[in-house]
Each structure stands twice: as structure tokens, then as C-alpha cells.
């Protein structure tokens, strides 16, 4: 896959997740994929890389992790990184909602 395509997905995913945070809502992997024009094999194989890059950018800018807003459509739960992680998923989602809805 061309790295330029992934970078495009990262930019669009970040924008879509900021809008979701401002709306205080979650997105499924499929909804995010549709929003950024990713489907099929790319959705299954590339989304994790896209979200990892978005997370790295959030860390670099001192923001809460936008990928916390992405959940499984069937379970409504976040990915394994949040289930097994040191940071509480619920707390991170609330941080996102506060961060993106505070006056700038």
C-alpha cells in the first residue's frame, strides 16, 4: 500500500474523530472506514495502522487519544488495546468529549 494513501486516511480519520468528539459520540470501525473511504481488505488490514498513527499524533500534541472513540459494531466495545491497556477507556472518552467541547 502506498504510504501517501495511508497518510490521507490518517488525516481524514483524525478529522472524522474530532467531529465525533465534538458531537460526543462513538463510531464503529465500519462507520469510520466509510467516512474516510476505506472498505474491504483495507478496512481489516489497514485501519489499525491508521488508528495507531492518529494515536501517535495525539500523544505528540498532548491531546487525549481520538482512537478511543472507535468501537466494535457488534459489542460496542473498544479494541483490545483499550481493554488490556493501562488507561481507562471510559475515562479517555470523557477526556475527549471535554477536550473537544471546551472553548478554544
Amino acid at each position: 500500500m502506498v504510504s501517501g494513501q495511508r497518510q490521507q486516511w490518517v488525516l481524514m480519520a483524525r478529522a472524522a474523530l474530532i467531529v465525533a468528539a465534538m458531537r460526543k459520540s462513538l463510531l464503529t470501525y465500519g462507520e469510520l472506514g466509510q467516512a474516510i473511504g476505506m472498505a474491504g481488505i483495507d478496512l481489516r488490514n489497514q485501519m489499525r495502522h491508521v488508528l495507531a498513527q492518529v494515536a501517535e499524533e495525539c500523544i505528540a500534541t498532548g491531546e487525549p487519544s481520538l482512537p478511543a472513540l472507535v468501537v466494535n459494531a457488534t459489542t460496542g466495545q473498544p479494541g483490545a488495546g483499550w481493554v488490556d491497556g493501562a488507561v481507562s477507556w471510559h475515562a479517555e472518552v470523557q477526556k475527549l468529549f471535554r477536550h473537544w467541547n471546551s472553548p478554544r
Side-chain angles (χ1 to χ4, degrees), residues 14 53-66 92 95-96 98-100 102 104:
R14 178 175 168 77
Q53 193 167 340
V54 170
E56 288 174 14
E57 290 178 8
C58 291
I59 291 167
T61 58
E63 299 168 346
S65 185
L66 286 164
E92 194 71 4
K95 277 189 209 175
L96 280 160
R98 283 191 304 275
H99 178 82
W100 290 104
S102 63
R104 303 231 169 255

Side-chain angles (χ1 to χ4, degrees), residues 5 7-17 32 35-38:
Q5 176 64 63
Q7 188 57 35
Q8 181 83 12
W9 285 332
V10 168
L11 292 172
M12 291 188 299
R14 178 175 168 77
L17 291 169
L32 181 58
I36 67 174
M38 182 189 287

Side-chain angles (χ1 to χ4, degrees), residues 30-101:
E31 289 168 337
L32 181 58
Q34 185 175 13
I36 67 174
M38 182 189 287
I41 195 77
D42 285 331
L43 181 61
R44 184 196 324 240
N45 294 331
Q46 297 299 327
M47 183 61 82
R48 64 188 172 99
H49 299 295
V50 169
L51 291 176
Q53 193 167 340
V54 170
E56 288 174 14
E57 290 178 8
C58 291
I59 291 167
T61 58
E63 299 168 346
S65 185
L66 286 164
L69 299 178
V70 185
V71 297
N72 180 287
T74 303
T75 66
Q77 297 295 310
W82 288 103
V83 175
D84 300 333
V87 176
S88 163
W89 172 64
H90 293 286
E92 194 71 4
V93 168
Q94 292 305 311
K95 277 189 209 175
L96 280 160
F97 292 166
R98 283 191 304 275
H99 178 82
W100 290 104
N101 286 284

Side-chain angles (χ1 to χ4, degrees), residues 15-33:
L17 291 169
I18 289 171
V19 170
M22 293 172 85
R23 292 181 176 171
K24 298 183 179 181
S25 63
L26 303 175
L27 292 175
T28 67
Y29 289 96
E31 289 168 337
L32 181 58

